[in-house]
Amino acid sequence: MDNTNNNKPHKSHQTTIIVGAVSLVLIILLGFLYFKNRSEMKALVNEMVEEKEMLTYEFENLALDYDSLQTNSDTLNTMLEMEREKISQLIEEIQTIKATNASKIREYKKELTSLRKVLKNYVVQIDSLNQSNKALQEENLKYRKKVSNMQTTYSKLEEVKQTLEKKVKVASKLETYNIEADGLNSKNRTTTKTSRVSKIRICFSIQKNITAEVGEKTIYLRVLRPDGALLYHSKEDLFLHENKKINYSSKRIIEYGGEEVDVCLYYQVDAGELTKGEYVADIFADGYNIGTMTFNLK
């Protein structure tokens, strides 16, 4: 009886030790598992943080890729600007979400893939547009060269035309020969005495010229005294010469048909108008001086 009672406390003590040992092992095991899981979770969170940072970095690089695209198309530029704004907004959103929000991270990854495909499409469009622009620029350059050559050719032809017109003008200019000057008295007899001269007569022949314009021609005469003064009757007696209106001494209208013709012009002398010395007679037609001669009166 006594032995039995003595064994009971002993067995109870052993049980307590065993339970305590098992509990200690369990606590140690649970602690190990806790710290192990905590370490794994921390590593997982760090990995997700790195993934978030990498995603942000890739979006930023994508934004730079969009910024590098340049085109002259206003429509494409507007679309590219919209994509840039979208990427900028996504970057701001990524920075605000938690790294552990796996579903959101997956959504942004899909969006990144989609935006990269869009970028490739824009690259193809812009490359095609640039090629077209290059072809147009080359075509435009050829056209400008062609226009420049045409302008050069036109300028040369215009120069040739002007040269020919000048030659024709010169060729069509009337020319005179056999110019004679006489002083006539009141009885139409020749005299060289200034006191007896009542008229000055200038006679000449106009040469044959088939290139000259035919029809009525006005022939003008200017007679200069020895002192250089012009003999004329009215300040209104004017004609055009070298783009200036100048006075004439007398004029005559003739019919010119391209053949040789003899012409005489007269100047009615006013009393006391003449002086002794050498006179100069100039003949004009079609704006040109067609003959000059000198004569003397005593």
Side-chain angles (χ1 to χ4, degrees):
M1 285 295 288
D2 292 334
N3 288 337
T4 301
N5 291 331
N6 290 333
N7 285 336
K8 282 182 179 180
H10 178 71
K11 287 181 178 179
S12 178
H13 179 68
Q14 285 180 341
T15 301
T16 300
I17 292 172
I18 291 169
V19 171
V22 171
S23 297
L24 180 62
V25 170
L26 287 173
I27 290 170
I28 293 170
L29 180 61
L30 289 172
F32 172 76
L33 290 174
Y34 170 76
F35 284 109
K36 183 181 179 183
N37 288 336
R38 184 179 177 186
S39 178
E40 288 177 354
M41 284 297 294
K42 186 176 181 180
L44 180 60
V45 169
N46 289 337
E47 185 179 340
M48 295 179 75
V49 170
E50 289 179 2
E51 187 177 12
K52 175 185 172 182
E53 291 176 352
M54 180 58 68
L55 187 61
T56 304
Y57 175 74
E58 289 178 350
F59 267 103
E60 288 173 346
N61 280 340
L62 184 64
L64 291 174
D65 290 337
Y66 270 94
D67 287 338
S68 66
L69 296 179
Q70 294 183 357
T71 174
N72 293 326
S73 170
D74 292 337
T75 302
L76 277 177
N77 283 333
T78 301
M79 295 172 70
L80 287 171
E81 186 58 32
M82 290 173 63
E83 295 297 330
R84 292 188 190 101
E85 290 177 0
K86 184 177 181 180
I87 293 170
S88 179
Q89 185 178 352
L90 287 171
I91 291 172
E92 290 179 3
E93 290 178 7
I94 292 170
Q95 291 172 346
T96 60
I97 66 168
K98 291 183 178 180
T100 54
N101 193 338
S103 62
K104 275 290 184 182
I105 294 296
R106 283 195 298 272
E107 287 180 12
Y108 288 128
K109 282 185 176 180
K110 289 180 181 178
E111 191 68 37
L112 178 65
T113 302
S114 176
L115 286 169
R116 280 174 173 165
K117 289 181 180 178
V118 173
L119 175 66
K120 288 181 180 179
N121 184 41
Y122 280 128
V123 169
V124 172
Q125 288 186 57
I126 291 172
D127 184 62
S128 176
L129 185 62
N130 288 339
Q131 291 296 328
S132 298
N133 286 339
K134 185 178 179 182
L136 287 172
Q137 287 173 356
E138 290 175 354
E139 188 67 26
N140 187 36
L141 183 61
K142 290 180 182 178
Y143 175 76
R144 282 189 293 174
K145 285 182 178 179
K146 187 176 180 180
V147 171
S148 178
N149 290 335
M150 289 175 65
Q151 288 176 338
T152 301
T153 302
Y154 175 79
S155 296
K156 288 181 179 178
L157 289 174
E158 190 65 25
E159 288 176 4
V160 171
K161 177 187 172 185
Q162 290 177 0
T163 301
L164 289 174
E165 286 178 348
K166 287 179 181 178
K167 288 182 178 179
V168 170
K169 214 168 184 182
V170 171
S172 64
K173 176 185 172 183
L174 299 180
E175 293 186 358
T176 58
Y177 70 102
N178 290 339
I179 305 174
E180 296 179 351
D182 294 304
L184 301 178
N185 60 21
S186 57
K187 296 182 180 180
N188 288 330
R189 294 178 181 175
T190 60
T191 179
T192 59
K193 292 186 178 291
T194 57
S195 58
R196 296 180 182 177
V197 174
S198 60
K199 292 180 186 177
I200 294 177
R201 179 178 62 187
I202 307 293
C203 293
F204 50 90
S205 297
I206 298 177
Q207 292 182 355
K208 176 181 178 179
N209 190 334
I210 58 173
T211 61
E213 186 178 350
V214 298
E216 283 190 351
K217 301 275 186 186
T218 302
I219 312 299
Y220 295 95
L221 172 67
R222 279 169 57 92
V223 180
L224 300 179
R225 289 191 319 196
D227 60 0
L230 176 69
L231 302 180
Y232 69 99
H233 296 296
S234 172
K235 290 183 178 179
E236 302 301 319
D237 293 341
L238 298 167
F239 74 102
L240 192 64
H241 175 64
E242 295 181 351
N243 297 320
K244 291 182 181 180
K245 287 186 176 182
I246 58 175
N247 289 105
Y248 60 84
S249 302
S250 71
K251 70 175 183 178
R252 179 180 173 184
I253 298 174
I254 66 168
E255 187 70 28
Y256 184 72
E259 299 295 328
E260 182 177 320
V261 60
D262 295 328
V263 182
C264 286
L265 279 84
Y266 297 86
Y267 175 74
Q268 188 70 41
V269 177
D270 293 331
E273 188 177 14
L274 302 181
T275 60
K276 296 178 181 180
E278 185 178 73
Y279 287 73
V280 178
D282 288 299
I283 305 162
F284 297 84
D286 299 329
Y288 292 104
N289 185 325
I290 62 173
T292 300
M293 73 158 300
T294 61
F295 61 95
N296 287 281
L297 294 177
K298 300 178 182 178

